[in-house]
Amino acid sequence: MNEFSREVSVHEKYWSECLTIIKDNLSKSELEHWFRPIVPLGWDENTRDLRLGIPSMYFAEFFDEHYVGLLKSTFQRVMGDGAKPAYVVMVESVGKTTVNVDCGRARTTAKEIAPHRLDPQLNPNYTFDTFVEGDCNKLARSAGMSIAKSPGNNPYNPMFIYGGSGLGKTHLAQAIGNETLNNFPDKKVIYIDANRFQAQFTEAHLNGQINNFLNFYQQLDLLIIDDVQMFAGKTGTQNIFFQIFNHLHLLGKQIILTSDSPTNMMQGLDQRMLSRFKWGLNVTLDAPDQDTRKAILRAKVKSDGLYIPESVVDYIAVNVTENVRELEGVMVSLLAQSTLTNAEINIDLAEHVVGRMINVKPKTITIQTIQKAVCDYYHLEFNDIQTKSRKREVVQARQIAMYLARKYTKNSLSSIGEQIGKRDHATVLYACKAVSDLVDVDKSLQKSLEAIENSLR
Ligand code: ADP
Ligand code: MG
């Protein structure tokens, strides 16, 4: 067995004995607030320090002021003469700040300091409520929700979330963390991105604090590491992560990893680890389809209490297709632009903003694409308007297709007639006039045309 094995280590044994004694001298809430957040990290036989991981320096000061007597006598009973606490502030500086607090020096009072818990490093806005569901993320989202109901104890351990940039990996992973804490406030949850994990590890290594680093991560209930493709080529970090992974997995603790692609995930992780990952769940976040893009935009508009016309939402959803981050970016610029120039948010402004931010490939509009857009809009078969049908909706669709062909292509009237239902140029002329006369007075036709034209752009 090596030092990272499952055996209870000496510092854990000492601390648990101390707690048994301390428990009898404190109220339940004191124990809960001030002793539960403490994590035993190590025991140094030479200095007789018991290293205790604490959430912050304030915590140390307050804790020491109020409990130094109790701690001293308990340490004396359990570990013998000279035993003292050494506090290590966790997370921000794992493996860095070891502070021997000068007992009795602290000035803070209970009122000034609320009890601290381990900071999970989660963004509170990244929740399931704000993570709009669509075909692109259904499986990942529902698996994530099951995990939050029963972290560690589910078929999805570890969970791997793949997806290109801006498709919601970080949001989803953090939503699982937030929801887990909602359901189980006492669970120890940490979100960290792979780069930061690597930096912490390097620092711990340089300071000879690897054990603290390991102990900290090995006592978690849920560990989320974002963008593990960043581990590629970093053998030291991969090895330490392997140890943490094994430890947590063996104890039935939950692990969630994200990566931009399965291939990069593999480059980021050790071969030994990859074979273990077969147990878990692999899910991919795809680019959102048009309906999901609209739903995301609408949710954003609603949550920000904004007013943006539906036609503008549609325009953005049709033209900004790559990822969600881009959708949000367009929305933010649109608002900024409208506030700065005091301009109304409308399609023209949206076109301007989208055009500047995204490379909108100018689509070539052909009679074919028009015919398809019109038929899609009216739920007709692609060839319906080519037939001789005199049904009202087919006639209207045919006339609109002619009108749009005249507006958006350079085809002559007879060429348009030839391509749409084999009609002569007079019929096309009549159709164009009929549509443009009607559009001035018919609101519903205006809306239909706007929607079809949006889908052409
Ligand atoms: P990734 O980590 O995959 O690069 P993020 O999780 O950072 O992507 O997502 C980019 C932005 O898009 C974030 O602001 C996030 O809140 C938002 N986002 C992504 N997916 C959704 C979704 N399904 N519903 C709502 N917002 C989303
Ligand atoms: Mg991310």
Side-chain angles (χ1 to χ4, degrees), residues 185-228:
D186 287 338
K187 293 251 185 238
K188 296 194 180 108
V189 175
I190 285 288
Y191 164 88
I192 187 157
D193 75 59
N195 272 337
R196 227 176 119 224
F197 180 89
Q198 139 109 39
Q200 282 185 356
F201 164 67
T202 312
E203 206 176 302
H205 187 62
L206 290 174
N207 295 320
Q209 300 280 341
I210 292 292
N211 276 353
N212 284 350
F213 179 86
L214 269 172
N215 288 332
F216 173 74
Y217 280 101
Q218 290 182 340
Q219 46 93 34
L220 299 173
D221 297 303
L222 165 57
L223 172 61
I224 304 168
I225 304 194
D226 206 357
D227 291 320
V228 292

Side-chain angles (χ1 to χ4, degrees), residues 315-335:
Y315 176 80
I316 300 175
V318 167
N319 289 286
V320 182
T321 55
E322 289 295 304
N323 65 51
V324 185
R325 189 173 292 131
E326 217 173 58
L327 276 181
E328 290 186 339
V330 166
M331 201 80 144
V332 171
S333 303
L334 192 59
L335 287 172

Side-chain angles (χ1 to χ4, degrees), residues 126 164-171 191 193 226-227 258 325:
Y126 285 166
S165 168
L167 292 181
K169 299 182 295 296
T170 300
H171 189 143
Y191 164 88
D193 75 59
D226 206 357
D227 291 320
T258 81
R325 189 173 292 131

